[in-house]
Amino acid sequence: MNFVFLSPNFPENYYMFCQGLKNNGITTLGIGDAPYEQLRPELKTALTEYYKVSSLENYDEVVRAMGYFTFKYGKIDWLESNNEYWILRDAKLRTDFNVTTGVRNDVVDLIKYKSKMKACYAAAGVPTARCHLCTTMEEDLKFIAEVEYPVIVKPDNGVGAAATYKLKNDDDLKNFYETKPADVPYLMEEFVNGTIVSYDGICDSNRKPIFETSHYFPDPIMDIVLDVKEVFYWSEREIPEDLKDAGRRTIAAFPTQNRFFHCEFFRLNEDKKGLGKKGDIVGLEVNMRPPGGYTPDMMNFANNINVYQIWADMVAFDKSEYDRNRPYHCVYVGRRDGRNYIHTMPEIVSMYSNNIRMQERLPEVLSGAMGNDTVLAVFETKEQVFDFVKTVLATH
C-alpha cells in the first residue's frame, strides 16, 4: 500500500501517525515544505521517501510531487494530512489522482463549511442553532429580529474559534462590518447557552467508530481567547449515553469514513426554544481530523493506548485491537503569564509526580488558545480532577 502524508512534520506530533503506518508495513511517502535535514529523526526513519516543495500552497509543486511518487511507487492508495487547514487540498489531490479512500471534491464542502454541515446534522436528527450567511447589515438585522441578541459570527470556512465573535448589540454589528475582511464569508448563528462537549474518535470504512471518547470543555475556546482566560478541560471515562447516541448518528450522516473525527456539541444549560430542554444535546460543528493541541495525547494517557497506531491500524486493516478499559480521566490545564500563582510549576510537578504525564511551555503561536505553561495529568475520579485544577490555578 502506498500512502502519501501531506505535511508530516506539522503539527510536530504527527510523526507518530507515520510511525504507525510504518509499523504496519505501509510505504509512507511525505510531502512538505521543511528541509529534510530539519525533520526529526523519528520521522525520517518512518518515511520511505520525502519530497520537499518550496510551499505546500503551490498546488502545481505538490502535483509534481504526487506524479513523482506515482511514477516511482505505483498508484497512490491513500492521501491524508489529518490537518484542518489542508482538508480542501487533500480532497482535490484525491480527486485528481483518483484516490478513493478519503473525502473528495464532491462531498468535502459538507465537512469544511459550517453552513453546509447543517444538512448532515438534520439527516442525523441532531438539532442545531439557526444560522444565516452574512451578506448585508440589513439582512443580518432581519435574522437578529428572529433570534435576538447576542449572536455568534464566525468564518464559514474556519478553524476552531479563530476570528469568532459574540455580537451583543447594533454597535457590535456595525463594528463587525467595519473590521471584517471583505473576502471572508461569515456565518451568523443564534447564541446557545450551553457547555461544549466533544465526541472524538476514529471511523472505519463503514463510518463505525473503531475508537471513541469524549471531552468536557467548561469554557468555550472563543471566550478563552477573547477574555484571555486560563484553560482547562478533561476526558470522560464513560461517554454519556445521549452524547454517544448523537455522536454515532452524526458520524453516520457525514462523509466520515476512514477518518479521525472531532465532533462538538452543546449540552444546554437552560431550555432553548426550538432546540430542546436543559441538558439536551445540540450539534455545534464537526472537524474531520484529530482534535487539536495535546488532545490525542490525552486520549493515550487516559486509556493507556496509542491512538496514532489505532488510526494506522484502521488504514491497514479497517480495525484495531487494543485494551478497551478506560482507567483514567486526563485533564489539561494551561496557566497564563503574569498571574500570581500560589504554586510554581516545579512545585506542582513535585506534588503530583504520580499523576502528571506531560508538562510543557507552549510557543506564542499556541498560547492564546491553550495557555503559556501547560500540564497534563490523570486521575481516577472527577473530584480529583477538580482538586488538581484548583491547586494549579490557585492565586494569591
Side-chain angles (χ1 to χ4, degrees):
M1 179 186 295
N2 296 322
F3 192 112
V4 171
F5 205 112
L6 197 67
S7 186
N9 60 300
F10 185 84
E12 188 173 353
N13 57 333
Y14 277 21
Y15 77 90
M16 288 184 275
F17 287 121
C18 296
Q19 283 184 324
L21 294 172
K22 182 182 179 183
N23 291 340
N24 290 339
I26 294 172
T27 299
T28 308
L29 309 165
I31 302 176
D33 52 18
Y36 179 76
E37 57 271 16
Q38 292 182 10
L39 303 183
R40 60 186 301 148
E42 299 94 331
L43 178 57
K44 291 180 180 178
T45 301
L47 292 175
T48 305
E49 188 170 355
Y50 179 74
Y51 190 111
K52 181 191 177 301
V53 295
S54 63
S55 172
L56 286 170
E57 301 282 1
N58 187 321
Y59 190 72
D60 289 341
E61 278 195 87
V62 177
V63 166
R64 283 196 294 273
M66 288 286 291
Y68 167 76
F69 284 148
T70 300
F71 175 78
K72 185 170 181 179
Y73 297 96
K75 187 179 186 308
I76 304 303
D77 303 293
W78 282 76
L79 180 140
E80 186 60 81
S81 68
N82 276 334
N83 193 317
E84 182 80 22
Y85 186 81
W86 299 115
I87 281 179
L88 293 175
R89 172 61 47 86
D90 292 346
K92 182 169 175 54
L93 286 168
R94 291 192 198 101
T95 302
D96 289 348
F97 285 85
N98 194 29
V99 178
T100 60
T101 47
V103 174
R104 301 207 285 181
N105 282 347
D106 55 340
V107 295
V108 69
D109 286 2
L110 296 175
I111 64 172
K112 190 56 179 167
Y113 292 93
K114 295 177 174 67
S115 59
K116 297 182 179 181
M117 294 177 186
K118 303 287 185 178
C120 289
Y121 273 121
V126 177
T128 58
R130 288 172 287 180
C131 71
H132 155 82
L133 279 171
C134 298
T135 52
T136 65
M137 281 187 61
E138 181 181 8
E139 292 300 315
D140 291 353
L141 288 169
K142 291 179 183 178
F143 175 74
I144 293 168
E146 298 177 14
V147 303
E148 301 181 345
Y149 284 114
V151 292
I152 303 297
V153 289
K154 50 192 176 184
D156 193 23
N157 173 11
V159 179
T164 298
Y165 310 102
K166 181 192 290 185
L167 309 183
K168 301 177 182 178
N169 49 50
D170 289 355
D171 288 339
D172 286 351
L173 178 63
K174 182 179 178 181
N175 182 65
F176 164 68
Y177 266 92
E178 289 175 346
T179 57
K180 83 175 186 69
D183 59 342
V184 178
Y186 263 79
L187 184 72
M188 179 178 288
E189 288 186 330
E190 64 179 319
F191 175 74
V192 176
N193 180 6
T195 300
I196 294 177
V197 293
S198 71
Y199 175 69
D200 310 302
I202 299 167
C203 273
D204 66 13
S205 60
N206 296 310
R207 307 183 191 180
K208 302 292 185 183
I210 291 174
F211 167 73
E212 57 186 347
T213 188
S214 173
H215 295 84
Y216 190 97
F217 301 81
D219 277 321
I221 292 296
M222 178 185 70
D223 292 346
I224 290 168
V225 173
L226 294 180
D227 300 332
V228 198
K229 292 182 177 182
E230 292 150 323
V231 55
F232 66 96
Y233 65 101
W234 63 88
S235 61
E236 298 284 8
R237 289 187 67 180
E238 298 295 332
I239 307 173
E241 286 301 319
D242 60 344
L243 176 62
K244 185 186 295 185
D245 175 61
R248 288 180 174 180
R249 283 187 283 124
T250 296
I251 62 171
F254 279 82
T256 53
Q257 64 275 8
N258 301 125
R259 295 197 67 79
F260 228 117
F261 60 83
H262 170 62
C263 303
E264 295 178 352
F265 298 87
F266 286 117
R267 188 175 291 280
L268 294 179
N269 294 328
E270 61 185 5
D271 293 355
K272 178 71 172 178
K273 185 178 179 181
L275 289 182
K277 299 291 186 181
K278 180 179 179 180
D280 285 352
I281 295 291
V282 173
L284 175 53
E285 63 182 66
V286 298
N287 298 278
M288 294 309 163
R289 40 76 177 171
Y294 294 113
T295 310
D297 303 288
M298 292 173 65
M299 297 175 184
N300 288 344
F301 298 146
N303 300 284
N304 285 334
I305 58 174
N306 183 341
V307 294
Y308 304 98
Q309 188 63 54
I310 293 172
W311 173 85
D313 291 348
M314 174 274 295
V315 171
F317 314 118
D318 209 25
K319 63 181 181 179
S320 184
E321 301 299 328
Y322 60 92
D323 188 346
R324 306 280 171 153
N325 291 321
R326 298 175 182 270
Y328 304 114
H329 299 279
C330 186
V331 58
Y332 175 102
V333 186
R335 305 210 305 192
R336 297 287 184 187
D337 288 350
R339 310 277 166 90
N340 191 15
Y341 294 107
I342 292 176
H343 301 288
T344 67
M345 193 57 78
E347 288 173 345
I348 294 294
V349 172
S350 177
M351 293 164 62
Y352 291 95
S353 59
N354 292 330
N355 305 93
I356 289 177
R357 297 293 183 266
M358 183 184 293
Q359 194 278 308
E360 290 195 1
R361 173 84 178 173
L362 288 187
E364 286 298 317
V365 69
L366 300 176
S367 63
M370 303 303 293
N372 300 105
D373 285 305
T374 67
V375 60
L376 280 70
V378 296
F379 300 94
E380 293 183 358
T381 70
K382 226 175 291 191
E383 289 72 24
Q384 293 171 318
V385 168
F386 299 153
D387 287 343
F388 176 73
V389 171
K390 289 178 183 177
T391 301
V392 174
L393 297 182
T395 57
H396 291 285

